[in-house]
Amino acid sequence: MSWRVPLTEIELAESDVEATMGVLESGWLTMGPRTQQLERAFAQSVGAEHAVAVSSCTAALHLACLAAGVGQGDEVIVPAMTFVATAHGPRRCGAEVVLGESVSVTDPNLDPADVVERITPHTKAVIAVHLCGYPADVDGLRSVCADRDLFLIEDCAQAAGGRMADGRALGSVGDLGCFSFSSKTLLGVGEGGIVVTDDADLAARVGSLRSHAMTSVTWDRHRGHAETYDVTDLGFNYRIDEVRAALAHARLTRLEPELARRRDVVRAYRQRLAALEGLELPYDDGAVDRSGHFAFPVLLGDRSVRDRVRAYMHDRGIQTSFYPSLTQFTAYAPSDVAGTRPRAEEFADRHCVLPLFPLTETRVEAVVAELSDALG
Amino acid sequence: MGPRTELFEREFADHLGVEHVLALSSGTAALHLACIAAGVGEGDEVIVPSQTFVATVNAVLYTGATPVFADIVGPHDLNIDPDAVEAAIGDRTKAVIPVHYAGYPVAIQRLAELCATRGLSLIEDAAHAPSATAGGRKLGSFGLAGCFSFFSNKVLCCGEGGALSTDSGEVAERVRRLRSQGMTATTMDRHRGKAMEYDVGEPGFNYRIDDPRSALLSSRLKRLDAEIERRRELVLRYRELLDGQPGVILPWGKSDVAGSSCYMMAVLIEDGRRDEVRRTLQARHGVQTTIYPAVHELETYRRRLPGVSLPYSEQVAASMFSIPLFPHMSEQTQDEVVAALTDSIGG
């Protein structure tokens, strides 16, 4: 269907198209100079030592878990309130996924105090998610993890460009940070992702496993050619290709201004929605200043109100969305899990994500007007 | 994934003569999902060749099952030997993954019959072989699933990409869900207003391709048959030029070329001189060659799957390289490669 206001719109600049065409014209399509260029630029942009570009953020999370040594018999704590890919990473390593609770209904990110309660001798890692782009308390989580020798992995799929209060980039606080270049993100190239870390060993392991643990990749780079290769571990094909790397690089150079435009839209929304009866705004102005602004959630009365409002908006051509909590999925919900993560579940039930991209003021007002009508 | 992916999937399915094609992130992803769709899991065994790229074997390992290697026919046919496959079948065997190596069809009818009789799933690794045929039928259409690679050096390529072909609606549905996290509805469904919510039953992966790559594949698919035809001409010409060259074995025969996608031109160098000839080719003539280790001889597989002996695979791995072959190769370049090879073998 054709939406009056879609959830998001991708804007590609002429420079993006030029970068893409340049690769196609060069005829070199995989894992070459553009991937290296992207990795260098991305590492620099988040202030990390290393970046390894991969096929998706799901792949990034899987490799981050493997690099952290997550395996069968281990437990990994992930927020109950996240996209399923966060949990698929540790699950694919054979580990058990332990669902953590949100800080509150208005801050659905992982609560460090709750994480402490869920740590067992089997716990190997914690995955913090910056949901919708809003910074999780990674400093709090980092001290929890450091005290117990656990890995902290940041899922920054929705948080490229997001910052901590002191200016550090999201993704640079934990041992490993995982980003997405999936089509709807600010750095969307179609499908893609990247892992950042300051640790050379972790980076080497991620780099090796992304391409079937073949030794000649490194060998090639250092000597200009390889006589043959060996395979030292069970790896994967999680490579990105040059076209996507070039596009991601082109978009990375525009990330700051794009983020600023989204931030303006979010502020415009919040200003107009603050006084609306029956609606609550999650997060605070400080979080808005620092968010990666992937999505703009608002809280409604309860699940039935939310579903009714969404249907109303849908009928008026305005696309909305929401994220189920993992407790709602058959794959992650044993019969006794419902109701055990009340803050995460309440956020999942009550929130509705409104259209977010560089919207005109008129369209922001149209969304707000329909939302007021739906609630009134 | 949107309209261009759907279009490419339709076009490639028509090209292969199968009901369904699912475009994926890589050939490795296709093999992994094919194994899952075949019900392969812990405790099962899957018969694979060692004369292949590691992805064939890794796909089995991802599921927790054990790969069991079967040897190839010999230096004149680098494909898995159906007799060796039959001998390797045991109580725990669940599936067989033959590889159409270098684009040349394995004895696929015989393997299909064998698998049907023994109740095994047949998964074709057709990474090298889009558009190749056996008995007039496209490879990738014989088994439960066919797995294709669109990696940048392949006959049909887009950078990174792959596809799974199948006639089974059930396999297609499962692969469709698993390639996108196991979600019951996609972003596109939601964009089109067809779905408001989704569930996740079986945890999946992100094995999606994207629309730019699908568009490139659609465009290249139109030229595929012409490019393969040109590859066949070049291979026949290579065979003629190298005919009678002492110390060289050219696997397969002239009559096999018409059914092959001619992904690569494999050359076996006799008398243990492969590495020496290869070095001369590069140093003296600037001719690039590629060698292909046997999977069971690589470090991690020696550790995981010890005690494997496959005489023909080992012999071929130690004596083979591929020489340059691409559709826009000129006859002059080809002549230069042949002269360089002759010179390098001569000393």
Side-chain angles (χ1 to χ4, degrees):
Chain A
M1 77 180 273
S2 167
W3 297 99
R4 184 150 64 104
V5 188
L7 196 56
T8 193
E9 258 178 20
I10 297 168
E11 266 187 348
L12 290 185
E14 212 166 290
S15 54
D16 297 337
V17 178
E18 275 167 21
T20 307
M21 293 308 292
V23 179
L24 291 173
E25 280 157 13
S26 83
W28 186 267
L29 295 184
T30 327
M31 295 291 293
R34 274 118 187 152
T35 302
Q36 288 176 10
Q37 180 189 38
L38 167 67
E39 290 173 343
R40 276 195 303 272
F42 201 92
Q44 202 171 15
S45 77
V46 299
E49 288 293 320
H50 309 276
V52 183
V54 294
S55 58
S56 68
C57 190
T58 308
L61 288 160
H62 182 201
L63 294 180
C65 286
L66 287 174
V70 172
Q72 223 136 8
D74 293 330
E75 293 173 2
V76 176
I77 301 170
V78 311
M81 190 54 247
T82 185
F83 180 60
V84 281
T86 314
H88 285 351
R91 179 126 171 190
R92 188 151 178 213
C93 298
E96 194 187 323
V97 174
V98 175
L99 302 182
E101 174 65 299
S102 300
V103 175
S104 67
V105 178
T106 52
D107 179 359
N109 285 323
L110 195 54
D111 178 9
D114 179 79
V115 167
V116 171
E117 298 298 314
R118 298 189 195 280
I119 289 170
T120 75
H122 300 294
T123 309
K124 185 83 185 177
V126 175
I127 305 182
V129 180
H130 306 293
L131 193 72
C132 299
Y134 294 87
D137 181 7
V138 271
D139 277 331
L141 291 167
R142 192 188 160 104
S143 67
V144 168
C145 289
D147 290 348
R148 296 163 181 81
D149 227 13
L150 307 178
F151 280 88
L152 177 61
I153 297 168
E154 291 181 75
D155 178 345
C156 306
Q158 304 187 334
R163 302 261 162 201
M164 303 287 289
D166 60 9
R168 278 171 302 158
L170 302 185
S172 70
V173 181
D175 297 290
L176 298 129
C178 302
F179 292 83
S180 173
F181 303 143
S182 179
S183 58
K184 293 196 305 177
T185 63
L186 268 76
L187 297 174
V189 302
E191 300 290 346
I194 199 163
V195 181
V196 299
T197 180
D198 284 335
D199 184 309
D201 290 336
L202 292 176
R205 192 151 159 72
V206 170
S208 164
L209 293 176
R210 118 180 112 175
S211 192
H212 285 297
M214 291 161 72
T215 53
S216 78
V217 181
T218 327
W219 227 59
D220 245 274
R221 238 175 248 155
H222 284 98
R223 312 204 181 178
H225 71 93
E227 288 250 313
T228 184
Y229 63 84
D230 206 342
V231 172
T232 53
D233 203 346
L234 176 60
F236 306 88
N237 180 349
Y238 282 156
R239 295 183 299 263
I240 200 165
D241 49 39
E242 289 284 279
V243 174
R244 287 178 283 160
L247 183 53
H249 183 260
R251 296 200 67 170
L252 182 61
T253 60
R254 295 191 288 110
L255 177 62
E256 287 300 331
E258 291 232 336
L259 191 53
R261 288 167 72 196
R262 282 184 178 227
R263 197 182 299 121
D264 289 344
V265 171
V266 169
R267 284 176 179 149
Y269 265 133
R270 289 178 71 95
Q271 201 187 346
R272 286 166 176 77
L273 292 171
L276 198 58
E277 194 87 20
L279 182 144
E280 203 176 341
L281 292 171
Y283 310 106
D284 56 24
D285 290 345
V288 170
D289 291 343
R290 305 192 303 273
S291 170
H293 292 300
F294 170 74
F296 177 60
V298 297
L299 291 166
L300 302 173
D302 59 25
R303 185 175 180 142
S304 69
V305 173
R306 191 270 311 275
D307 292 348
R308 186 173 56 71
V309 167
R310 284 194 70 213
Y312 183 93
M313 304 286 276
H314 174 273
D315 291 344
R316 278 149 193 80
I318 293 170
Q319 190 184 15
T320 64
S321 189
F322 75 99
Y323 300 99
S325 61
L326 296 182
T327 52
Q328 293 176 16
F329 291 129
T330 311
Y332 292 99
S335 54
D336 56 349
V337 81
T340 59
R341 312 292 191 277
R343 302 190 291 265
E345 290 168 77
E346 187 179 337
F347 179 86
D349 282 345
R350 287 180 56 197
H351 82 276
C352 170
V353 166
L354 300 181
L356 179 60
F357 51 97
L359 286 163
T360 58
E361 210 169 298
T362 322
R363 288 176 105 186
V364 169
E365 271 160 14
V367 174
V368 170
E370 296 294 1
L371 190 54
S372 312
D373 287 350
L375 288 168
Chain B
M1 281 191 318
R4 283 163 182 97
T5 300
E6 286 170 10
L7 177 68
F8 170 68
E9 290 176 341
R10 193 65 262 145
E11 290 170 341
F12 197 51
D14 290 345
H15 183 83
L16 297 172
V18 299
E19 289 293 320
H20 310 278
V21 161
L22 284 309
L24 302 165
S25 58
S26 68
T28 307
L31 287 159
H32 183 198
L33 294 184
C35 284
I36 295 175
V40 171
E42 236 155 313
D44 294 328
E45 290 180 353
V46 177
I47 300 169
V48 294
S50 176
Q51 189 61 44
T52 183
F53 180 59
V54 292
T56 319
V57 181
N58 285 355
V60 177
L61 290 169
Y62 299 155
T63 67
T66 305
V68 173
F69 291 108
D71 209 351
I72 56 173
V73 178
H76 293 279
D77 179 349
L78 311 186
N79 281 322
I80 200 165
D81 180 357
D83 290 332
V85 170
E86 191 161 4
I89 295 174
D91 294 343
R92 299 195 296 154
T93 308
K94 186 89 181 173
V96 180
I97 313 182
V99 178
H100 303 294
Y101 198 74
Y104 294 82
V106 300
I108 191 70
Q109 282 103 339
R110 204 186 139 194
L111 284 174
E113 278 163 34
L114 179 64
C115 287
T117 315
R118 307 294 288 267
L120 309 176
S121 294
L122 177 63
I123 297 167
E124 293 178 75
D125 183 339
H128 295 178
S131 236
T133 56
R137 201 166 134 190
K138 292 272 174 28
L139 302 184
S141 70
F142 288 86
L144 179 72
C147 302
F148 294 88
S149 166
F150 307 133
F151 179 64
S152 61
N153 65 3
K154 293 298 196 295
V155 174
L156 176 63
C157 79
C158 67
E160 297 288 348
L164 181 144
S165 58
T166 183
D167 283 328
S168 157
E170 207 179 314
V171 168
E173 268 324 294
R174 188 141 176 225
V175 168
R176 193 184 303 282
R177 273 200 313 277
L178 289 177
R179 81 172 155 184
S180 195
Q181 311 287 2
M183 290 159 67
T184 52
T186 65
T187 306
M188 197 66 199
D189 291 335
R190 280 174 275 141
H191 181 73
R192 286 175 179 157
K194 284 203 281 193
M196 296 281 277
E197 297 191 30
Y198 62 88
D199 190 19
V200 175
E202 184 184 10
F205 314 91
N206 182 347
Y207 281 159
R208 294 185 298 262
I209 199 164
D210 46 40
D211 265 27
R213 282 179 281 165
S214 295
L216 184 55
L217 288 166
S218 276
S219 169
R220 300 201 65 165
L221 182 59
K222 293 183 181 65
R223 303 201 308 272
L224 179 64
D225 282 337
E227 289 190 349
I228 288 177
E229 205 36 56
R230 179 62 187 148
R231 283 174 178 269
R232 288 176 182 145
E233 287 169 16
L234 289 164
V235 166
L236 287 172
R237 195 162 178 276
Y238 259 140
R239 299 193 75 96
E240 228 164 83
L241 294 167
L242 290 168
D243 188 39
Q245 170 73 45
V248 169
I249 295 173
L250 301 179
W252 294 289
K254 250 167 51 177
S255 62
D256 296 315
V257 173
S260 170
S261 58
C262 294
Y263 166 59
M264 66 183 207
M265 182 69 201
V267 172
L268 274 60
I269 306 294
E270 296 183 293
D271 309 320
R273 294 188 57 214
R274 192 269 311 267
D275 293 341
E276 169 209 334
V277 169
R278 191 169 180 244
R279 273 193 293 273
T280 311
L281 267 172
Q282 168 150 351
R284 196 186 291 170
H285 303 285
V287 173
Q288 192 188 6
T289 59
T290 307
I291 65 177
Y292 303 88
V295 175
H296 75 283
E297 296 191 290
L298 295 166
E299 196 242 53
T300 194
Y301 307 96
R302 285 203 311 269
R303 252 187 312 112
R304 288 163 197 269
L305 309 160
V308 177
S309 165
L310 304 163
Y312 285 130
S313 299
E314 287 157 26
Q315 180 195 338
V316 167
S319 61
M320 182 181 74
F321 55 64
S322 65
I323 56 177
L325 176 67
F326 43 94
H328 54 281
M329 185 178 201
S330 68
E331 293 191 351
Q332 190 194 332
T333 306
Q334 203 178 17
D335 290 339
E336 285 165 14
V337 171
V338 170
L341 184 58
T342 309
D343 175 70
S344 303
I345 291 168

